[in-house]
């Protein structure tokens, strides 16, 4: 059984009971496969596994801090998952910005932040997929997030700060995909 197969099984166990979130996760994993040209061949499995696992921290079974990137990463680390996958889950889609808003930066620092093509590709997959699994542009996804959370919510404040930086990650991944196909 591959790491991707294991990731899919674990994600189904922990996220499928969450309903719409499961639709999002399945679509992000499919999108990660589509954008795999943005990473080297050795990193494709880590990318797709992290896409399956990026939201497991929302599961009530493991969501202890209520900050899903941290809860997911801690669970995966405790269960022996590869460091590359654990750190991608910990830092997916601007988690460092939300950790700061929530006063959890020192906790998230348990997991080294690596600004890499794989993280960029994961950001692209996650932030071009809506909460129900629908395909969105980056701008549509950010607008959807900002509408869903009130202005005083840490998530809203996070995306006001993080969106320009994460746009750059999406653009870098798109450039890598274009270069790989030419």
């Amino acid at each position: 059984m591959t790491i991707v197969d294991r990731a899919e099984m674990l994600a189904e166990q922990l996220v499928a009971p969450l309903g719409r979130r499961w639709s999002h996760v399945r679509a992000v994993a499919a999108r990660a496969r589509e954008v795999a040209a943005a990473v080297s061949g050795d990193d494709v499995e880590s990318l797709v596994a992290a896409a399956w696992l990026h939201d497991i921290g929302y599961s009530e079974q493991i969501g202890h801090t209520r900050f899903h990137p941290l809860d997911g990463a801690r669970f995966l680390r405790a269960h022996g998952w590869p460091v590359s996958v654990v750190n991608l889950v910990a830092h997916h889609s601007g988690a460092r910005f939300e950790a700061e808003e929530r006063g959890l930066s020192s906790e998230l620092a348990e997991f080294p932040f690596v600004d890499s093509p794989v993280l960029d590709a994961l950001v692209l997959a996650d932030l071009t997929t809506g909460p129900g699994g629908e395909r969105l542009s980056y701008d549509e996804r950010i607008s959807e997030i900002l509408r869903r959370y009130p202005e005083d919510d840490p998530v809203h404040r996070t995306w006001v700060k993080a969106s320009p930086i994460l746009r750059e990650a999406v653009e870098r991944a798109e450039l890598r995909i274009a270069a790989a196909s030419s």
Side-chain angles (χ1 to χ4, degrees):
M1 180 178 300
T2 70
I3 189 172
V4 172
D5 294 331
R6 289 178 42 227
E8 181 179 357
M9 288 174 53
L10 180 59
E12 184 171 10
Q13 175 190 344
L14 294 173
V15 183
L18 304 178
R20 187 166 107 146
R21 173 103 22 220
W22 179 234
S23 297
H24 169 75
V25 166
R26 287 191 327 238
V28 170
R31 184 80 169 119
R33 288 186 191 280
E34 291 173 16
V35 305
V39 303
S40 70
D42 295 343
D43 291 327
V44 171
E45 281 195 336
S46 292
L47 168 63
V48 177
W52 277 112
L53 298 168
H54 79 283
D55 278 352
I56 64 167
Y58 281 114
S59 170
E60 290 183 15
Q61 295 174 38
I62 66 172
H64 305 296
T65 68
R66 301 283 186 236
F67 181 48
H68 78 276
L70 180 60
D71 291 332
R74 283 178 168 168
F75 177 87
L76 293 170
R77 180 180 60 194
H79 287 86
W81 284 80
V83 170
S84 59
V85 173
V86 172
N87 289 344
L88 286 166
V89 169
H91 291 286
H92 77 274
S93 300
R96 66 193 185 277
F97 299 99
E98 188 172 344
E100 185 178 326
E101 283 292 327
R102 295 183 180 279
L104 293 170
S105 293
S106 62
E107 289 86 344
L108 189 62
E110 296 171 22
F111 305 96
F113 174 76
V114 179
D115 198 7
S116 68
V118 185
L119 184 59
D120 288 351
L122 183 58
V123 169
L124 172 61
D126 189 23
L127 295 182
T128 58
T129 304
E134 62 278 14
R135 179 71 58 89
L136 299 174
S137 71
Y138 176 78
D139 290 332
E140 289 169 332
R141 179 73 161 124
I142 298 306
S143 293
E144 176 275 320
I145 293 168
L146 292 174
R147 280 191 311 272
R148 197 162 17 115
Y149 293 93
E151 289 183 16
D152 62 343
D153 189 280
V155 174
H156 187 102
R157 292 191 309 265
T158 293
W159 288 103
V160 168
K161 291 178 189 172
S163 64
I165 295 160
L166 294 176
R167 176 188 304 283
E168 292 173 6
V170 167
E171 290 170 352
R172 287 191 303 265
E174 290 171 338
L175 286 171
R176 289 184 190 104
I177 293 165
S181 66
S182 59

